[in-house]
């Protein structure tokens, strides 16, 4: 292994562990634990690649220090779970990036996760791109109507669950009927249900005219409440703007995310 490669692993480890410490100091313990684990593994890989004893000793000290802190956090989080007192809040600032579904939910998606409940009253519309002629016959521009992405966001969320290391077998969606265009909503969700079924995942749909709260429950005990539900992303400026495809690069609307844990997961 080349020195450059070892140096690259060390640089990556420093970056991840720096983020772990920042999250740790912000009391975002579950997220910090994931970063500690990833950073420690990078340091272990780097240590295995070097032959200098003093360098290896330096790595061992760092690894032990971070492992000790990770174990402390794990014990603290487990105790909070046991006492039913775990609560963490993430504040997503206006125009912030880096909050894709993968980034936000990854720390809470253990290998034990098999069933998910999504409650959001507004899983309805999609962005509708409409052509608008610009001056000159050679140009055709696209703009987006003010209709909010709802169905596409839920689709992306389902895709994220399918790619996760856990084995999700059932997704429950609690939402309300779209009185303006119920046929579009019904056909879209029916298509998604069929597509998920082909992947071995059951989509259970339930409609209610009275639900207002937005929350997501995992059968491993985690409960995530997002002020804006799954629709916390801003509309892209155009189909060829950065962030159109990669939600980690998509700007967000200001919202709060509250995370809880319960030993006994209840259905919505």
């Amino acid at each position: 292994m080349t020195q450059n490669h070892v140096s690259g692993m060390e640089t990556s480890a420093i970056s991840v562990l720096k983020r772990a410490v920042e999250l740790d100091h912000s009391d975002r313990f579950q997220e910090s634990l994931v970063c500690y684990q990833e950073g420690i593994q990078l340091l272990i890989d780097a240590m295995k690649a070097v032959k200098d004893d003093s360098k290896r000793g330096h790595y061992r000290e760092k690894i032990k220090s971070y492992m000790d802190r990770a174990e402390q956090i794990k014990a603290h989080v487990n105790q909070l779970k046991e006492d039913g007192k775990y609560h963490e809040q993430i504040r997503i600032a206006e125009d912030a990036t880096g909050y894709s579904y993968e980034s936000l939910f990854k720390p809470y998606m253990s290998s034990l996760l098999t069933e998910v409940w999504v409650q959001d009253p507004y899983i309805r519309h999609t962005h509708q791109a409409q052509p608008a002629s610009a001056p000159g016959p050679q140009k055709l521009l696209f703009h987006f109507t003010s209709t909010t992405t709802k169905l596409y966001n839920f689709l992306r969320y389902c895709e994220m669950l399918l790619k996760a290391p856990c084995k999700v077998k059932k997704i429950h969606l609690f939402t309300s009927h779209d009185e303006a265009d119920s046929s579009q909503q019904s056909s879209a969700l029916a298509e998604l249900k069929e597509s998920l079924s082909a992947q071995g995942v059951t989509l259970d749909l339930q409609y209610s005219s009275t639900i207002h709260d937005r929350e997501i429950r995992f059968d491993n005990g985690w409960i995530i409440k997002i002020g804006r539900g799954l629709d916390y992303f801003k509309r892209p400026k155009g189909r060829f703007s950065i962030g159109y495809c990669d939600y980690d690069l998509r700007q967000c609307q200001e919202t709060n995310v509250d995370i809880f844990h319960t030993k006994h997961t209840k259905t919505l």
Side-chain angles (χ1 to χ4, degrees):
M1 187 176 294
T2 67
Q3 182 60 38
N4 286 341
H5 189 64
V6 174
S7 178
M9 285 193 296
E10 183 176 299
T11 300
S12 296
I14 291 172
S15 176
V16 174
L17 289 167
K18 180 181 179 182
R19 178 60 175 161
V21 172
E22 291 173 350
L23 291 167
D24 189 350
H25 289 168
S26 300
D27 293 339
R28 291 165 63 175
F29 297 122
Q30 192 66 23
E31 291 176 277
S32 71
L33 188 57
V34 172
C35 289
Y36 275 125
Q37 291 169 339
E38 291 179 357
I40 289 168
Q41 187 57 57
L42 286 168
L43 284 182
I44 291 173
D45 294 341
M47 183 182 70
K48 290 178 179 178
V50 299
K51 297 180 179 179
D52 182 83
D53 288 339
S54 62
K55 188 73 171 177
R56 290 170 67 88
H58 174 72
Y59 279 135
R60 287 193 188 96
E61 290 179 6
K62 289 293 184 182
I63 290 168
K64 184 180 185 306
S65 174
Y66 289 121
M67 286 185 71
D68 287 346
R69 180 53 188 161
E71 287 301 320
Q72 291 173 0
I73 292 174
K74 190 181 297 184
H76 178 62
V77 169
N78 286 340
Q79 188 61 54
L80 289 174
K81 289 179 183 178
E82 188 68 24
D83 297 340
K85 296 178 179 179
Y86 189 95
H87 176 219
E88 178 181 332
Q89 186 175 81
I90 300 171
R91 297 182 184 276
I92 301 179
E94 186 77 7
D95 295 329
T97 58
Y99 290 97
S100 67
Y101 296 141
E102 289 84 355
S103 298
L104 187 60
F105 288 91
K106 179 181 177 181
Y108 314 100
M109 299 175 66
S110 67
S111 58
L112 300 176
L113 178 60
T114 61
E115 197 164 358
V116 177
W117 289 263
V118 178
Q119 177 172 302
D120 190 323
Y122 302 112
I123 304 297
R124 298 176 177 178
H125 299 296
T126 63
H127 276 311
Q128 298 175 1
Q130 295 183 343
S133 298
Q138 76 281 10
K139 293 184 179 180
L140 184 65
L141 302 180
F142 287 82
H143 70 275
F144 291 93
T145 68
S146 59
T147 308
T148 315
T149 299
K150 308 285 187 178
L151 290 167
Y152 276 139
N153 279 345
F154 182 64
L155 168 60
R156 284 180 178 269
Y157 186 77
C158 291
E159 290 175 337
M160 181 274 295
L161 292 174
L162 288 175
K163 292 191 299 179
C166 54
K167 300 295 181 183
V168 174
K169 294 298 181 184
K170 193 166 188 178
I171 301 170
H172 303 264
L173 173 63
F174 297 80
T175 190
S176 59
H177 277 293
D178 184 356
E179 297 179 1
D181 193 348
S182 60
S183 61
Q184 181 197 44
Q185 180 191 36
S186 297
S187 62
L189 290 175
E191 182 179 345
L192 177 55
K193 183 173 184 176
E194 182 178 353
S195 183
L196 283 169
S197 179
Q199 298 288 332
V201 178
T202 300
L203 177 60
D204 172 46
L205 296 171
Q206 295 188 40
Y207 295 96
S208 170
S209 60
T210 59
I211 63 170
H212 296 285
D213 294 339
R214 300 168 175 85
E215 71 175 50
I216 294 172
R217 289 178 179 256
F218 292 162
D219 67 349
N220 60 6
W222 289 108
I223 304 169
I224 298 93
K225 297 187 177 185
I226 308 174
R228 294 179 179 272
L230 292 175
D231 188 42
Y232 57 89
F233 298 102
K234 289 194 169 184
R235 297 194 308 275
K237 295 178 181 179
R239 294 192 304 160
F240 296 97
S241 298
I242 295 298
Y244 183 87
C245 298
D246 189 337
Y247 272 30
D248 264 321
L249 300 174
R250 178 80 69 88
Q251 289 182 316
C252 298
Q253 301 182 74
E254 181 179 357
T255 193
N256 288 335
V257 183
D258 287 282
I259 300 105
F260 306 88
H261 189 276
T262 175
K263 291 188 296 181
H264 306 290
T265 305
K266 300 176 182 178
T267 59
L268 295 168

